[in-house]
Amino acid sequence: MSPIPPSPNGLPEAATVVSRPVSRCDHLGVHPFSDTQDGLFRAYLSDAHRSTCQQVAQWMHAAGMTSRTDAAGNLIGRYEGQTPGAPALLIGSHLDTVRNAGRYDGTLGVMLGIEVVAHLAERGERLPFAIEVIGFGDEEGSRFPASMLTSRAVAGTLDTLPLDAVDASGSTLGDVLYHAGLDPARYREAAYTPEQVVAYLEAHIEQGPVLEAADMSVGVVTAIAAQYRFKVSMVGVAGHAGTMPMSLRKDALAAAAQALVEIERIGASGPADLVATVGQLHVGPGASNVVPRQVTFSLDIRAGTADVRDRAATKIRTALQDITDTRGVALRIELQNDLAPTPCDPELTARLATSVARVTGQPAHRLVSGAGHDAMVMAALTPVCMLFLRCHKGISHNPAEAVRHDDAHTALLVMLDFIQALAATPAPTPTEFSA
Ligand code: HGY
Ligand code: MN
Ligand code: MN
């Protein structure tokens, strides 16, 4: 393996431990596993995504797995159980990233899944169930505005495939699938049946400050917050910057600016778990001497419960309507993603907490995830649980994202303990879990 680029942050490490999953994330953190020469951006079905899947498939094979690419472009490694074709424990996370990403969001969960299997294979251990490690291709929605596309395909909950969705280069999802050799008509063949699956486990960096503040290396997720993603459009009238009087303007950008401040005020006025974010904004026609005609921006609203999320969304919608009515600007709000709050399975979560206590000697820290994860989609297919790893200052979606090697090693030990305990009791069928 070529020399691994140093971790971007040179964290004070417990020198005794080098976590191969962390080192592999560092290896994947640069071109050709990134679509950008500097920093990390790995887009669904891009060249970097393809190179990454080739490299990760090699690591899956070295760990004793077979690998395949499913109809949605997910990379899936399988480690057979004691009987070929047995239902599988799915261990997954995503390989795509946001723009200017950190190296561990998503990818670390896939690397830890491979490491679990490598440890079992080294010992020649076979379990009453198979293990499948899934590297989801599109969780972030960073190429096309439809996040969790590929876990929805696996969970069988993808009602429409947005083939006309367009990426930054103007390519449609349909074009990109075609060039990747994927047939849109067969996309849904990626779906599993509940009978094929024992449960779903996802390890992921916390992307928040809670575990670091509690000085805990790992934590157990009790639930994942509800999430809305909207696309907001405001259309006014373009005008000459020099001749159009201020009183006669229908300035779309001024309307959007007022809207953003109001969105922030409403987000900040709710309970602590309510958040509202505008991450993308595009202005047209975009000339310095033209009064802006149209603005489109993203709107991301989340909360621990659907009720808090929905009430905030209603307040924001009303505020935006008032602003645009007053300014004579047209408003359009399109819902792009509606993710319900997802409780993790209590039985699995209790088992995971027991494993944390056994490995760390401390009671497991339980927390809600404000970040979305493929686990919230996979809950429609099978019981899910999530293990969080402490990350440096809670930083994520940022090149300064960092995780400690010793924490990743602790997470590996917890996952192995959890899996062996799951194997020690008769692998319960999904109906037993969901009872
Ligand atoms: O947006 C999220 O919460 C996740 O990073 N996709
Ligand atoms: Mn992310
Ligand atoms: Mn993630």
Side-chain angles (χ1 to χ4, degrees):
M1 191 152 77
S2 56
I4 291 168
S7 184
N9 40 68
L11 271 184
E13 294 289 357
T16 50
V17 169
V18 174
S19 163
R20 183 164 59 174
V22 173
S23 300
R24 285 177 164 174
C25 289
D26 289 336
H27 181 75
L28 295 175
V30 293
H31 189 78
F33 309 111
S34 169
D35 292 307
T36 52
Q37 284 296 335
D38 53 351
L40 175 58
F41 175 42
R42 189 180 304 133
Y44 177 43
L45 297 180
S46 68
D47 292 343
H49 181 216
R50 184 170 49 250
S51 304
T52 300
C53 288
Q54 286 163 356
Q55 171 63 79
V56 175
Q58 287 172 18
W59 290 335
M60 287 175 166
H61 302 157
M65 287 190 263
T66 57
S67 72
R68 66 185 176 95
T69 300
D70 73 3
N74 298 307
L75 175 64
I76 301 173
R78 182 174 170 96
Y79 179 70
E80 283 301 343
Q82 289 152 358
T83 48
L89 169 68
L90 303 183
I91 303 177
S93 200
H94 57 96
L95 291 174
D96 68 321
T97 75
V98 294
R99 293 177 182 279
N100 199 31
R103 295 178 172 180
Y104 311 103
D105 173 9
T107 308
L108 183 58
V110 182
M111 297 304 112
L112 281 167
I114 295 170
E115 202 68 21
V116 159
V117 171
H119 277 255
L120 295 172
E122 268 163 28
R123 299 197 292 253
E125 210 169 324
R126 294 284 171 180
L127 306 172
F129 43 80
I131 292 182
E132 292 199 4
V133 178
I134 306 184
F136 291 110
D138 169 70
E139 186 269 353
E140 297 288 3
S142 55
R143 180 169 191 178
F144 299 102
S147 64
M148 314 276 185
L149 203 55
T150 54
S151 47
R152 282 189 279 158
V154 167
T157 58
L158 186 65
D159 39 20
T160 52
L161 190 57
L163 293 174
D164 298 334
V166 176
D167 70 8
S169 71
S171 303
T172 66
L173 174 60
D175 299 336
V176 167
L177 289 175
Y178 173 77
H179 287 293
L182 297 172
D183 175 356
R186 305 190 59 184
Y187 203 87
R188 290 178 186 76
E189 288 175 13
Y192 283 64
T193 64
E195 294 69 33
Q196 290 173 303
V197 183
V198 169
Y200 176 80
L201 165 63
E202 182 165 359
H204 200 291
I205 55 170
E206 179 202 338
Q207 300 178 296
V210 172
L211 291 177
E212 191 169 64
D215 193 24
M216 304 287 278
S217 54
V218 293
V220 171
V221 178
T222 56
I224 304 167
Q227 199 183 113
Y228 272 145
R229 277 197 196 182
F230 294 100
K231 177 182 173 186
V232 181
S233 307
M234 294 184 172
V235 179
V237 176
H240 192 300
T243 57
M244 178 59 74
M246 296 304 285
S247 60
L248 298 179
R249 293 186 178 194
K250 297 184 188 313
D251 182 333
L253 184 53
Q258 188 179 353
L260 267 58
V261 172
E262 193 57 13
I263 287 165
E264 183 190 47
R265 187 193 64 76
I266 293 168
S269 62
D273 62 305
L274 173 65
V275 286
T277 311
V278 174
Q280 291 168 323
L281 184 140
H282 301 285
V283 184
S288 62
N289 58 353
V290 178
V291 176
R293 176 181 177 278
Q294 82 273 352
V295 170
T296 56
F297 58 85
S298 61
L299 174 57
D300 179 313
I301 305 171
R302 308 189 194 194
T305 65
D307 176 50
V308 169
R309 175 200 63 177
D310 296 359
R311 275 193 280 118
T314 303
K315 278 186 190 167
I316 288 172
R317 186 184 291 273
T318 305
L320 268 51
Q321 195 62 62
D322 291 349
I323 290 166
T324 49
D325 287 351
T326 307
R327 291 171 170 269
V329 168
L331 171 67
R332 186 167 172 222
I333 301 176
E334 297 162 75
L335 177 62
Q336 290 186 315
N337 220 347
D338 171 359
L339 291 169
T342 306
C344 293
D345 181 83
E347 157 76 19
L348 285 177
T349 304
R351 285 170 175 253
L352 199 54
T354 301
S355 294
V356 168
R358 238 189 323 256
V359 168
T360 65
Q362 296 172 297
H365 194 96
R366 295 161 182 259
L367 64 167
V368 172
S369 172
H373 300 286
D374 290 302
M376 64 201 303
V377 169
M378 295 298 283
L381 172 71
T382 188
V384 304
C385 60
M386 280 199 79
L387 181 68
F388 265 178
L389 286 83
R390 165 172 49 190
C391 65
H392 188 50
K393 295 184 180 164
I395 296 170
S396 184
H397 286 187
N398 180 319
E401 185 179 278
V403 66
R404 288 171 34 166
H405 281 258
D406 54 340
D407 288 348
H409 188 63
T410 300
L412 174 66
L413 298 180
V414 169
M415 293 168 78
L416 282 166
D417 183 280
F418 169 79
I419 288 166
Q420 269 137 358
L422 194 62
T425 52
T429 58
T431 43
E432 280 172 26
F433 264 126
S434 49

